[in-house]
Amino acid sequence: TFEIIDSSLPAKYLRQISQAIIDRDLNVKWYTRANVQKDFKDAELVQLMAKAGLIALYLGVESGSDRICNMMKKMQPGKAASLEIIESLYNNGVQPAVYSMFGYPTETKEEMEESVEFFMMLNKRFRIGVKNANQFNLVTDSPMFADPEAYGLTNIRGSVNASQGYGFEYDVTRGMTPAEAKKLCRKAGIFFRHPFLAKAHKLVYGRTL
């Protein structure tokens, strides 16, 4: 069993890799990462990958808010399309797993709660593991750094206290502050690992976060 390490493999390469494994009659199990691509709604492709030993595909779903997905502009198709793709993988023999990102510029607490509820539903329906509750991290060579005003960012400054130990701190003119996002990320991470606590929290407080 091994991992093919790539930030996001295109579906066409996954098809080629899978076919090559099958042609060589290799007895292997493997997993890798990809963006949420519409190609994965193709049952024949997913079945080919499963036949080649693909046991899990980690998807950069990132958010359960359509507005935030549209802002990211990196192939996130939104909640409904992501659900279709995840269902196709699960029904055709490949276990989906997802990455999340919270605290994206201008994201509100309500949108983060919508996302957490979406990921919790995926966990229950498809036995999906959520790879942590990751907090947005501002780095150079990003649209947010190049045009911070468009994303509601101000007072950008370098600091070792950035969300992942590198990058930049900043203030916001709208949406959650980094401190608020960090606090909610910790809570979401606990709920992803222990879903029963999320149910209890909602019963007591009437909300997921």
Side-chain angles (χ1 to χ4, degrees), residues 126-160:
F126 304 108
R127 299 186 298 111
I128 279 185
V130 183
K131 289 293 287 183
N132 303 319
N134 297 307
Q135 185 180 353
F136 168 80
N137 189 42
L138 180 63
V139 295
T140 57
D141 299 324
S142 66
M144 291 70 68
F145 193 86
D147 188 10
E149 186 176 343
Y151 291 86
L153 306 184
T154 185
N155 192 25
I156 293 173
R157 58 209 182 267
S159 173
V160 294

Side-chain angles (χ1 to χ4, degrees), residues 9-189:
L9 276 170
K12 67 177 183 178
Y13 293 140
L14 284 168
R15 180 184 291 276
Q16 292 171 7
I17 291 168
S18 298
Q19 191 61 60
I21 289 172
I22 292 168
D23 291 345
R24 288 160 176 77
D25 196 25
L26 302 179
N27 182 22
V28 296
K29 301 294 182 185
W30 53 288
Y31 57 97
T32 190
R33 291 168 285 183
N35 281 325
V36 187
Q37 301 168 49
K38 63 182 180 180
D39 306 75
F40 299 137
K41 289 192 283 185
D42 180 353
E44 181 273 330
L45 170 61
V46 180
Q47 290 166 10
L48 179 75
M49 296 190 300
K51 183 179 178 181
L54 180 65
I55 54 176
L57 187 61
Y58 289 80
L59 301 171
V61 173
E62 310 295 20
S63 176
S65 163
D66 287 339
R67 186 185 76 84
I68 296 299
C69 285
N70 288 334
M71 284 193 70
M72 288 184 179
K73 299 176 183 177
K74 58 172 190 173
M75 292 183 71
Q76 275 72 14
K79 188 156 55 174
S82 290
L83 181 57
E84 283 186 73
I85 290 163
I86 287 166
E87 189 167 38
S88 173
L89 290 167
Y90 186 80
N91 289 342
N92 289 287
V94 174
Q95 176 61 50
V98 299
Y99 288 97
S100 64
M101 182 192 298
F102 301 112
Y104 196 81
T106 76
E107 184 177 23
T108 65
K109 293 179 182 178
E110 292 75 18
E111 286 171 325
M112 180 171 174
E113 182 160 17
E114 179 186 3
S115 288
V116 169
E117 289 180 349
F118 179 61
F119 290 127
M120 296 293 291
M121 179 275 292
L122 295 178
N123 179 285
K124 181 178 180 180
R125 186 169 169 184
F126 304 108
R127 299 186 298 111
I128 279 185
V130 183
K131 289 293 287 183
N132 303 319
N134 297 307
Q135 185 180 353
F136 168 80
N137 189 42
L138 180 63
V139 295
T140 57
D141 299 324
S142 66
M144 291 70 68
F145 193 86
D147 188 10
E149 186 176 343
Y151 291 86
L153 306 184
T154 185
N155 192 25
I156 293 173
R157 58 209 182 267
S159 173
V160 294
N161 294 319
S163 69
Q164 296 178 30
Y166 62 93
F168 295 84
E169 288 190 277
Y170 55 88
D171 298 323
V172 300
T173 59
R174 55 190 187 275
M176 290 185 291
T177 66
E180 289 171 332
K182 183 177 183 179
K183 182 178 179 179
L184 292 179
C185 276
R186 287 175 176 170
K187 185 182 287 188

